[in-house]
């Protein structure tokens, strides 16, 4: 059974090092870091001025690694790494020296260089500023596929008893993916589902239309994406399909004559970022459903972007997931 306790237990066994570049300017990140350190869930690396952090938090940060980018022994190595990665894109050495002092860039470079196993940021930084360095430096695992993001929904409600945890994608990254890209997002999210839940993914390619009940360019895009997904993978999938038919067997019987998932979807693929982002936040705030994420997928090494509304618990759980991805 998927649970918070299980995630934290597995992360604790792995003892991965996670860097938190917002330590100096996010209280919620520091609260989470202290909790993670106290319970020994991950090895915590903080970026910031050591004297200032020790003065503020005293014994509470004992056992954590603190790195100041301005005085770090590895600064020059990271500058050279960044320059080599980006010089063909026009980055000058002097520009690399300035960028490497940015805590988000420095943290990303630590992960790429192997000094940390993963990074969690975004509690006080925009998604664009967190994700851009990851795309530039760490890059995608499958170079012919986009990087995407998913959210984990779970709880005690009836739907979770029947369907298990539900993964929703893309919810924070790709604005208007093509049919090919939607199929990639579905494949990546199904693979993530198998990795974390250890169960068979059942994919719903969501739309305002169910198998031709509605017409329009967006419905056709999802229909084509479903065909591509079925051609390239063996995952169970229905699409284009409305949300009620995807997660409710009673509605599925009415709307879908021949279904692969029978109203038991556990992977929901949204047609665009508008629908994905709005839906996940509506579920989060209206539905009293527990969530973890956003979680980035198809990066060579794990970097995860928090919502700026993240709580301490959100940061702890995303850090644990990041440790499991490493």
């Amino acid at each position: 059974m998927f649970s918070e306790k299980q995630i934290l237990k597995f992360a604790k066994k792995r003892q991965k090092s996670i860097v938190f570049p917002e330590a100096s300017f996010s209280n919620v990140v520091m609260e989470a870091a202290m909790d993670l350190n106290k319970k020994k869930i991950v090895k915590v690396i903080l970026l910031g001025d050591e004297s200032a952090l020790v003065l503020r938090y005293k014994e509470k940060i004992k056992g954590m690694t603190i790195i100041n980018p301005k005085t770090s022994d590895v600064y020059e190595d990271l500058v050279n790494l960044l320059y080599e990665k980006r010089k063909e894109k026009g980055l000058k050495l002097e520009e690399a020296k300035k960028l490497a002092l940015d805590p988000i860039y420095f943290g990303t470079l630590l992960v790429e260089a192997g000094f940390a196993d993963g990074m969690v940021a975004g509690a006080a930084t925009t998604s664009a500023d967190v994700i851009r360095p990851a795309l530039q430096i760490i890059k995608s695992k499958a170079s012919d596929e986009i990087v995407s993001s998913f959210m984990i929904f779970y709880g005690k409600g009836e739907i979770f008893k029947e369907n298990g945890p539900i993964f929703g994608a893309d919810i924070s990254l790709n604005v208007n993916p093509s049919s090919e890209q939607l199929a990639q997002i579905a494949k990546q999210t199904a693979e993530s589902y198998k990795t974390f839940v250890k169960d068979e993914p059942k994919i719903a390619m969501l739309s305002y239309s169910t198998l031709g009940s509605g017409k329009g360019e967006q419905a056709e895009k999802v229909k084509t994406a479903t065909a591509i997904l079925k051609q390239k993978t063996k995952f169970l999938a229905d699409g284009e399909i409305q949300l009620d038919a995807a997660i409710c067997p009673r509605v599925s019987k009415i709307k879908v004559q021949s279904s692969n998932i029978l109203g038991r979807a556990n992977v929901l693929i949204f047609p665009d970022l508008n629908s994905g982002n709005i839906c996940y936040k509506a579920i989060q705030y209206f539905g009293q459903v527990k969530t973890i994420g956003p979680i980035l997928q198809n990066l060579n090494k794990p970097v995860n972007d928090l919502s700026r509304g993240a709580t301490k618990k959100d940061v702890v759980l995303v850090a644990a997931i990041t440790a499991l991805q490493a």
Side-chain angles (χ1 to χ4, degrees):
M1 179 65 73
F2 182 90
S3 68
E4 293 170 11
K5 184 182 285 188
Q6 184 184 54
I7 291 167
L8 297 175
K9 177 184 175 183
F10 289 158
K12 189 172 183 177
K13 283 183 178 179
R14 304 200 72 187
Q15 283 298 292
K16 297 295 183 180
S17 56
I18 306 299
V19 60
F20 296 90
E22 298 168 310
S24 293
F25 49 93
S26 173
N27 290 332
V28 71
V29 164
M30 281 305 303
E31 289 171 8
M34 288 186 287
D35 195 40
L36 288 161
N37 182 62
K38 182 180 179 181
K39 295 175 181 175
K40 294 182 168 54
I41 295 166
V42 301
K43 296 176 182 176
V44 175
I45 300 174
L46 307 177
L47 298 190
D49 181 88
E50 184 174 7
S51 299
L53 287 169
V54 169
L55 183 65
R56 183 172 182 183
Y57 296 104
K58 300 181 172 62
E59 290 295 309
K60 292 178 181 178
I61 58 174
K62 186 178 180 181
M64 301 186 199
T65 299
I66 304 173
I67 301 175
N68 185 341
K70 294 178 181 178
T71 60
S72 171
D73 292 342
V74 300
Y75 168 71
E76 290 295 337
D77 291 335
L78 298 186
V79 168
N80 291 330
L81 175 61
L82 178 58
Y83 175 65
E84 289 299 320
K85 290 270 186 182
R86 301 295 295 167
K87 65 182 180 182
E88 290 184 2
K89 298 291 184 180
L91 184 72
K92 306 299 183 187
L93 186 57
E94 288 305 311
E95 294 171 326
K97 289 179 180 179
K98 291 178 183 178
L99 269 184
L101 290 174
D102 178 282
I104 304 296
Y105 269 91
F106 192 90
T108 306
L109 287 162
L110 282 178
V111 175
E112 176 63 12
F115 294 110
D117 296 308
M119 185 180 87
V120 173
T125 308
T126 65
S127 292
D129 287 339
V130 173
I131 295 169
R132 187 184 306 110
L135 295 177
Q136 291 176 347
I137 297 164
I138 293 174
K139 301 183 179 179
S140 59
K141 190 183 299 181
S143 58
D144 59 338
E145 293 185 10
I146 58 173
V147 173
S148 63
S149 65
F150 67 92
M151 201 82 180
I152 303 174
F153 307 111
Y154 62 107
K156 295 181 179 178
E158 194 64 33
I159 187 170
F160 299 113
K161 289 179 185 176
E162 298 294 336
N163 295 27
I166 293 174
F167 285 25
D170 188 350
I171 48 80
S172 72
L173 196 54
N174 296 289
V175 176
N176 188 24
S178 65
S179 292
E180 177 65 41
Q181 290 171 331
L182 271 182
Q184 291 173 10
I185 293 167
K187 170 180 164 286
Q188 291 169 11
T189 311
E191 289 170 346
S192 291
Y193 191 91
K194 288 191 76 171
T195 298
F196 291 115
V197 185
K198 311 298 183 189
D199 200 0
E200 194 65 31
K202 300 180 182 69
I203 305 166
M205 306 294 284
L206 296 178
S207 174
Y208 56 81
S209 168
T210 296
L211 303 180
S213 66
K215 304 299 180 185
E217 186 179 328
Q218 288 298 306
E220 284 299 316
K221 178 178 83 168
V222 178
K223 181 180 179 180
T224 303
T226 308
I228 294 170
L229 177 68
K230 288 181 176 179
Q231 183 182 19
K232 293 188 174 182
T233 76
K234 293 182 179 180
F235 291 126
L236 294 176
D238 279 350
E240 83 287 14
I241 189 171
Q242 292 164 296
L243 181 61
D244 54 354
I247 62 173
C248 178
R250 179 184 63 82
V251 178
S252 177
K253 287 177 183 178
I254 297 169
K255 292 188 175 183
V256 188
Q257 298 304 312
S258 179
S259 172
N260 292 306
I261 62 174
L262 303 172
R264 297 293 187 203
N266 50 33
V267 173
L268 305 178
I269 304 302
F270 299 102
D272 55 40
L273 192 56
N274 260 328
S275 56
N277 193 273
I278 292 168
C279 185
Y280 106 69
K281 287 181 178 174
I283 290 171
Q284 219 175 13
Y285 287 94
F286 292 152
Q288 297 181 320
V289 173
K290 295 181 179 181
T291 59
I292 304 175
I295 307 297
L296 298 183
Q297 53 191 357
N298 195 37
L299 283 172
N300 275 309
K301 297 180 180 181
V303 167
N304 281 313
D305 167 45
L306 301 160
S307 166
R308 279 175 288 165
T311 64
K312 179 184 85 169
K313 182 179 177 182
D314 294 333
V315 182
V316 167
L317 289 171
V318 170
I321 289 285
T322 307
L324 296 179
Q325 286 181 304

